[in-house]
Amino acid sequence: MTQWNDIPYDVLEALCKETAIFSNSGHNETSSRRRAPNDARKSLFALSVVDSRTREACYPWLFHKVTFDKKRRYSPSWEGFDERMKLMVKNPALCRAVKTFELDAWVGDVESNCPSPTTYALLPTFLASFPQLRTLNFRVQDAFVPGFQTAFDSVVETHGPFLTIENLTISRSCVFLIQHCPNILEFEEDSLYRDKDVQFVTMAESLRTCCQRLRHISTKESITSKTLRDLLTYIPHLEELKLEGGVRSWCNDPEDQETSGQGIMKFLPTFARFPNLRKLILPNASSLDIGFNPPWCGNAYMNNPGLVEQVAREGREASERVAKGVQTLCPVVSELWVGRICFRRDEKGIMVCPDTGQDC
């Protein structure tokens, strides 16, 4: 009779994997599968306490993502994060399991709730202990940036850059991290409440200098001629571009003032100048300055199904106008998102919405 300790390690790993993944209920055996919910996670925790060998096999499914969240009222203290980091770095097997690290730090009272010198010094070393780290989300408010920047610069001098990171998300004031992550493929930026403005061109220049492999970018910068000029100048070989800021109807750029009233349509020829742009993601049609201006107040829709249907129809029509423009003016783009509506170019070059199968 086979004992638990006799199970080959690769079989044990497969068992842990199957515990962590489940088939969607109500579907047949060929249906797609996804990561386990809480019940399966509880099973993994139970399995991990069998012995040290089994616990190590469970690590990739239990600790693939580590999150430090300092936005909530009852978040752990900075000292609590310090203790967790000190504990984890003593376990190389656990560190090898981490693929994603997230730090979200925004506090109301900076004076009494700021990272300690230990936190600043320890966190970059902590990240350097993850040999398979692929995704780094690092969002901290302005007041914390100098301390982290100094610590990262110091660690990189001895450890070297973070070569395994392929996906980088930062708050704008953390632009210093770009130079330490030279192999990123995907970049996303965000602004935090009350942070000072960091010019988009600053990030674009740094990305060109440090990240030759970058192909996907997501930005909340407003869509203006200057934004697109900066992208074309510094990151022209993008394959996917996500613009979440919408078209700014007012702008100091003389070029935009001369073409006011055209909205997103005036920028389509510029998108066509990106030679490798395959996927373009735009915000909802109401943010594109093309004449679709639905009521913003939710009360306007209460007990008014006719208005709901009208807004949905007009939003769809506005999105289709954008898709037709992309179809004609941006032949390289094969996939377009306008809000939640997706269009894909078919074999005839027509932008089609897969949900309906109809031409735009």
Side-chain angles (χ1 to χ4, degrees):
M1 181 177 181
T2 302
Q3 301 295 317
W4 183 262
N5 290 338
D6 297 329
I7 298 176
Y9 192 75
D10 59 338
V11 176
L12 186 59
E13 287 181 314
L15 176 61
C16 295
K17 179 179 179 179
E18 287 303 310
T19 303
I21 299 177
F22 76 104
S23 298
N24 291 325
S25 59
H27 291 256
N28 58 36
E29 294 181 355
T30 61
S31 64
S32 61
R33 301 194 295 178
R34 56 187 174 87
R35 285 196 181 277
N38 288 336
D39 287 346
R41 190 169 179 83
K42 291 177 182 178
S43 298
L44 269 177
F45 275 120
L47 189 61
S48 70
V49 300
V50 171
D51 56 33
S52 59
R53 184 168 170 263
T54 308
R55 180 164 57 253
E56 184 172 326
C58 289
Y59 280 162
W61 307 101
L62 287 173
F63 298 103
H64 62 280
K65 180 179 180 180
V66 176
T67 299
F68 288 177
D69 188 345
K70 279 295 295 181
K71 302 192 307 298
R72 302 176 186 277
R73 181 179 179 183
Y74 298 106
S75 298
S77 65
W78 290 108
E79 290 75 15
F81 289 143
D82 294 344
E83 293 306 312
R84 297 178 189 187
M85 288 190 284
K86 293 175 183 177
L87 185 63
M88 284 190 67
V89 296
K90 296 178 181 179
N91 189 332
L94 191 154
C95 290
R96 285 194 298 271
V98 177
K99 302 292 198 306
T100 299
F101 177 80
E102 295 183 345
L103 172 63
D104 275 304
W106 194 96
V107 299
D109 187 355
V110 174
E111 295 293 331
S112 62
N113 196 6
C114 64
S116 68
T118 300
T119 307
Y120 285 127
L122 185 56
L123 196 141
T125 303
F126 179 61
L127 295 182
S129 69
F130 300 151
Q132 299 191 65
L133 186 66
R134 297 290 183 268
T135 300
L136 175 61
N137 296 342
F138 202 90
R139 292 179 286 255
V140 300
Q141 63 203 100
D142 281 351
F144 304 153
V145 170
F148 281 121
Q149 181 171 358
T150 299
F152 269 97
D153 290 346
S154 177
V155 167
V156 169
E157 285 184 5
T158 55
H159 167 269
F162 294 84
L163 300 178
T164 62
I165 294 176
E166 297 179 343
N167 306 298
L168 178 64
T169 298
I170 62 170
S171 51
R172 283 200 169 187
S173 54
C174 292
V175 67
F176 71 89
L177 277 172
I178 294 175
Q179 64 181 317
H180 299 321
C181 305
N183 290 329
I184 60 173
L185 304 175
E186 301 183 18
F187 174 77
E188 180 177 351
E189 59 85 11
D190 195 3
S191 297
L192 295 184
Y193 180 56
R194 291 182 178 175
D195 276 1
K196 295 179 181 178
D197 184 45
V198 175
Q199 294 297 315
F200 180 75
V201 67
T202 302
M203 289 180 290
E205 289 176 337
S206 185
L207 288 168
R208 180 184 70 170
T209 303
C210 305
C211 307
Q212 301 302 315
R213 301 174 62 202
L214 180 67
R215 292 297 178 266
H216 299 180
I217 187 170
S218 174
T219 175
K220 288 183 169 58
E221 183 79 359
S222 297
I223 305 172
T224 66
S225 294
K226 184 180 185 311
T227 303
L228 298 186
R229 282 199 303 270
D230 290 341
L231 286 168
L232 272 171
T233 300
Y234 299 108
I235 325 172
H237 297 295
L238 289 174
E239 297 174 3
E240 178 178 319
L241 176 57
K242 184 175 183 180
L243 297 166
E244 300 184 82
V247 173
R248 186 187 298 174
S249 57
W250 56 272
C251 183
N252 294 326
D253 192 316
E255 183 177 341
D256 288 343
Q257 291 177 345
E258 292 173 3
T259 56
S260 62
Q262 298 180 34
I264 191 64
M265 309 305 286
K266 67 186 175 187
F267 298 117
L268 298 186
T270 307
F271 290 125
R273 294 169 58 191
F274 289 90
N276 302 318
L277 186 62
R278 301 290 183 267
K279 185 175 182 179
L280 177 60
I281 304 173
L282 301 174
N284 188 281
S286 61
S287 300
L288 299 180
D289 194 27
I290 51 175
F292 174 56
N293 301 298
W296 287 102
C297 179
N299 293 335
Y301 300 92
M302 294 181 63
N303 302 317
N304 194 344
L307 179 60
V308 173
E309 294 177 0
Q310 176 185 342
V311 168
R313 182 181 68 255
E314 292 178 354
R316 173 67 183 226
E317 292 171 351
S319 300
E320 289 174 348
R321 291 200 303 273
V322 177
K324 286 182 178 179
V326 170
Q327 174 182 302
T328 303
L329 300 174
C330 307
V332 175
V333 175
S334 58
E335 182 175 336
L336 168 71
W337 286 80
V338 182
R340 296 183 178 182
I341 303 178
C342 173
F343 301 90
R344 291 191 175 92
R345 195 180 296 271
D346 65 11
E347 65 279 0
K348 297 180 181 179
I350 306 300
M351 298 301 289
V352 176
C353 182
D355 291 340
T356 62
Q358 296 179 354
D359 297 355
C360 67

